[in-house]
Amino acid sequence: MGDVARTRVEAAEAGTALLWVRGLTRAGLEPADLELASGELLLISGPSGAGKSLLLRALADLDPNSGEVFLKGEPRNRFPAPQWRRLVTYLSATPGWWAPTVQEHFRPEDKDIAAGMLARLGLPPQAMEWDVDRLSTGESQRLALLRALVQCPAVLLLDEPTGALDAKSTAQVEDFLRERLANGLAVILVSHDRAQGRRLAKRSLVMAKGGKLSEGPP
């Protein structure tokens, strides 16, 4: 196939996928190709240190990287960086907090929406008023997930989002994600929990040491 024909094929593919990635790379990461459809959850597994978090950060454009990344057929470089990171939102396994209380991390127009979702994640009504310093790791993970979801991202990049949760809280988070997936949210999930992957994902990729991706088990 010639270069012009290949470009046309790739442009058509980028227009049909919600998220379309070719040759995405950065230090410590082999060039990665992937596609993600609306309402799909893609699992990425692999050994610690392989580069899974680096890939998620590159997709969110948080670190220097190169490659082609399209969202709804539009190239990433057409989006202002803050807009891209709201649409393609990365949630670390250890979320960051930059103000004293939880509610200060939510826009005024989102606070009532967030408060109405707390119970879905096993959190009490007063959680929005909590000081960040008093949050357990599990509470921090769930509240950060809520913080990300009320921004209505198109793609959510989750890095071990239930690693600090017990079975009941994990089930609540998974149910909440299923509901959002049914409404069109797309998710890339990094998880070492194989059972969680089987519960949520229909497709998976495996990252080897050095950052090389390959197709994983269904």
Side-chain angles (χ1 to χ4, degrees):
M1 184 184 295
D3 290 343
V4 173
R6 183 179 295 108
T7 299
R8 288 174 178 167
V9 169
E10 290 178 347
E13 290 176 349
T16 57
L18 175 67
L19 184 71
W20 187 88
V21 179
R22 286 294 180 274
L24 181 66
T25 187
R26 52 148 292 168
L29 188 68
E30 292 277 333
D33 299 343
L34 62 88
E35 302 94 33
L36 189 66
S38 177
E40 180 182 17
L41 187 145
L42 172 65
L43 173 70
I44 298 180
S45 61
S48 296
K52 302 182 295 298
S53 298
L54 297 182
L55 174 62
L56 296 190
R57 290 183 59 86
L59 287 167
D61 205 20
L62 292 169
D63 301 319
N65 65 87
S66 61
E68 295 181 276
V69 184
F70 284 71
L71 180 69
K72 300 179 182 178
E74 292 292 327
R76 183 173 61 182
N77 59 15
R78 292 187 186 174
F79 295 84
Q83 181 187 15
W84 178 263
R85 289 163 192 161
R86 283 195 300 271
L87 291 169
V88 181
T89 299
Y90 170 65
L91 187 58
S92 169
T94 54
W97 300 91
W98 53 90
T101 67
V102 171
Q103 62 185 348
E104 291 176 88
H105 296 82
F106 291 79
R107 298 179 301 179
E109 61 269 29
D110 291 336
K111 288 180 181 178
D112 287 344
I113 297 170
M117 296 178 178
L118 290 169
R120 299 287 310 282
L121 294 172
L123 294 163
Q126 61 269 30
M128 291 291 287
E129 301 170 8
W130 286 346
D131 290 339
V132 167
D133 289 344
R134 63 136 290 173
L135 299 179
S136 69
T137 304
E139 289 166 347
S140 177
Q141 285 187 318
R142 284 175 285 168
L143 286 164
L145 175 62
L146 184 57
R147 184 181 72 197
L149 287 172
V150 296
Q151 297 184 75
C152 298
V155 179
L156 192 57
L157 310 171
L158 297 178
D159 197 349
E160 300 285 355
T162 60
L165 303 184
D166 60 20
K168 180 180 178 180
S169 296
T170 295
Q172 289 171 320
V173 168
E174 291 179 1
D175 286 344
F176 197 43
L177 287 175
R178 288 188 189 95
E179 180 182 298
R180 303 308 287 253
L181 288 162
N183 289 328
L185 176 69
V187 176
I188 298 179
L189 171 68
V190 165
S191 178
H192 287 100
D193 186 343
R194 294 184 180 182
Q196 183 172 68
R198 289 192 295 270
R199 290 191 297 267
L200 292 174
K202 294 183 179 178
R203 189 164 62 92
S204 69
L205 298 174
V206 176
M207 182 173 283
K209 286 284 189 181
K212 185 176 178 58
L213 281 176
S214 59
E215 290 291 329

